[in-house]
Amino acid sequence: MSERSASAVLAEAAAAAGYAPSVHNTQPWYWRVAGGALYLFADRRRQLQNTDPDGRLLMISCGAALHHARVSLAAQGWTASVRRMSDPADGDLLATVTLADHVGVTASAMRDFQALRLRHTDRRPVSAYGVPPIALEEIQRAAGGEGVDLHVLKPDQVSELASASARADHIELMDPEQRQELAYWVGGERAEGTGVPDSAIPHAPLQTVVPGRDFVRAGTLEAGPGHDKEASYAVLFGSGDSPADWLRAGEAMSATWLTAQQLGLSVLPFSAVIEVPATRETLHRTILEGIGYPYLVLRIGLPDPDHAGAPHTPRLPAEQTVEIAD
Ligand SMILES: Cc1cc2nc3c(=O)[nH]c(=O)nc-3n(C[C@H](O)[C@H](O)[C@H](O)COP(=O)(O)O)c2cc1C
């Protein structure tokens, strides 16, 4: 054991996990440090009950938080052992993390940790240059390292995604309860530390091939007149479609995003097509040709070089998401 106690190391990892991306910035996780272990729970109070009744996006978000905690442990020099969904009687206990060996900090662990602090969702148009194939391969390897596949869409599949995405948005916005949920989580300054603030939403509708989520309001984020024509679209997918698979998908999403960040690329998740069962099925049958279940769509691109990115979105204070019982 190093000079710091296991409890302090694990608490720091749980606090760093707070930087993880989550659907509508709901941060639907709760951490408990007790008896030399770190427990990750789903916090159903921040589940999108109408938009995400099965908790898919909640699990993906919690998976991202779990991966962020793992990155923090590596940046503190520790290897960790992780048991996922180990209690059949408690589906909300998502993972138990314990410290394994103190191996010291590697340069790659530090780069991952720096990327964790810099990463953010970029809803601006991408630049006029495409993503180098070699970069996409590296991002695919990052997903593969977490046991999840990443399929990069071919041009004809991007058109299929565009129509599925428009359909998903339309279906969601026709539903008054989903509209209400969206309005609850999106817009304003978000002083309470959750949700998507106006500062992260473009000030005007963008020209896009694939429509991004319609937040039904203009934000304050300056965005150029660019397009998404040079963006790459990719689907994270795998052979299972259970909560445990969605958790792994979230870990893979975090790993791909931190890799993209280090390659100077911007990432924007698209989840409406996953939330709506009919369009999720379209992705499964057409784009993935039945070879796997889609977990999340990602737009990957070179960031707009002419405008500043959005400021970081707020987060809940660690005291509200991390309990230290030791
Ligand atoms: C599972 C998941 C689904 C998401 N879906 C969307 C989406 O459909 N549209 C969008 O603009 N952002 C989406 N996001 C991005 C979140 O809104 C974003 O992570 C959150 O607001 C925190 O901001 P940050 O990523 O800049 O830290 C998604 C994120 C996650 C993890």
Side-chain angles (χ1 to χ4, degrees):
M1 181 62 58
S2 73
E3 286 160 31
R4 297 179 70 216
S5 71
S7 161
V9 171
L10 294 168
E12 187 169 324
Y19 292 105
S22 57
V23 64
H24 292 356
N25 200 18
T26 45
Q27 303 157 63
W29 48 72
Y30 186 77
W31 296 95
R32 186 157 199 267
V33 183
L38 176 62
Y39 300 92
L40 168 62
F41 297 92
D43 190 337
R44 303 279 171 190
R45 292 171 302 177
R46 289 192 297 282
Q47 177 171 353
L48 302 175
Q49 299 294 345
N50 299 312
T51 312
D52 183 31
D54 300 337
R56 282 167 188 274
L57 286 316
L58 170 141
M59 290 298 275
I60 295 177
S61 304
C62 288
L66 177 57
H67 183 261
H68 271 47
R70 289 168 46 206
V71 166
S72 164
L73 292 177
Q76 296 181 70
W78 284 93
T79 61
S81 126
V82 182
R83 282 194 303 137
R84 295 170 182 80
M85 316 255 345
S86 57
D87 184 353
D90 184 357
D92 284 350
L93 172 58
L94 307 185
T96 307
V97 182
T98 46
L99 299 180
D101 299 310
H102 194 252
V103 292
V105 186
T106 63
S108 110
M110 279 321 291
R111 281 196 296 270
D112 284 347
F113 187 69
Q114 281 162 358
L116 173 160
R117 297 298 306 268
L118 295 171
R119 183 216 59 79
H120 70 279
T121 299
D122 194 345
R123 299 185 181 86
R124 300 170 303 156
V126 297
S127 96
Y129 300 95
V131 181
I134 196 166
L136 290 172
E137 284 161 22
E138 197 165 333
I139 292 170
Q140 279 174 317
R141 270 197 298 279
E146 299 296 325
V148 173
D149 287 305
L150 185 74
H151 170 70
V152 179
L153 272 59
K154 302 180 195 87
D156 57 318
Q157 295 179 320
V158 174
S159 322
E160 285 175 28
L161 173 66
S163 53
S165 198
R167 193 169 156 225
D169 245 7
H170 177 72
I171 292 173
E172 290 198 335
L173 294 179
M174 292 289 285
D175 178 344
E177 288 179 336
Q178 293 194 45
R179 262 188 102 111
Q180 206 177 16
E181 196 164 59
L182 185 71
Y184 178 82
W185 287 102
V186 170
E189 288 188 7
R190 318 300 312 183
E192 75 288 3
T194 54
V196 183
D198 281 339
S199 59
I201 301 172
H203 66 103
L206 306 176
Q207 306 177 58
T208 55
V209 177
V210 182
R213 189 189 283 278
D214 183 355
F215 287 115
V216 207
R217 62 183 291 129
T220 56
L221 177 64
E222 282 296 318
H227 209 278
D228 68 341
K229 276 192 295 227
E230 293 304 330
S232 293
Y233 285 89
V235 191
L236 282 166
F237 74 98
S239 57
D241 202 22
S242 70
D245 297 308
W246 307 333
L247 188 71
R248 291 307 299 236
E251 292 177 82
M253 176 197 68
S254 171
T256 55
W257 205 332
L258 297 186
T259 301
Q261 173 73 37
Q262 290 170 61
L263 293 167
L265 299 171
S266 76
V267 174
L268 172 59
F270 280 56
S271 58
V273 274
I274 300 292
E275 291 152 15
V276 173
T279 53
R280 188 169 71 243
E281 181 58 18
T282 303
L283 294 195
H284 172 60
R285 271 188 299 100
T286 59
I287 292 176
L288 295 177
E289 297 173 349
I291 58 165
Y293 295 96
Y295 303 135
L296 194 64
V297 173
L298 301 176
R299 184 195 80 173
I300 303 168
L302 286 165
D304 175 347
D306 299 324
H307 297 81
H312 286 287
T313 49
R315 289 295 190 269
L316 287 167
E319 307 81 70
Q320 284 187 38
T321 55
V322 184
E323 176 195 346
I324 301 166
D326 278 337

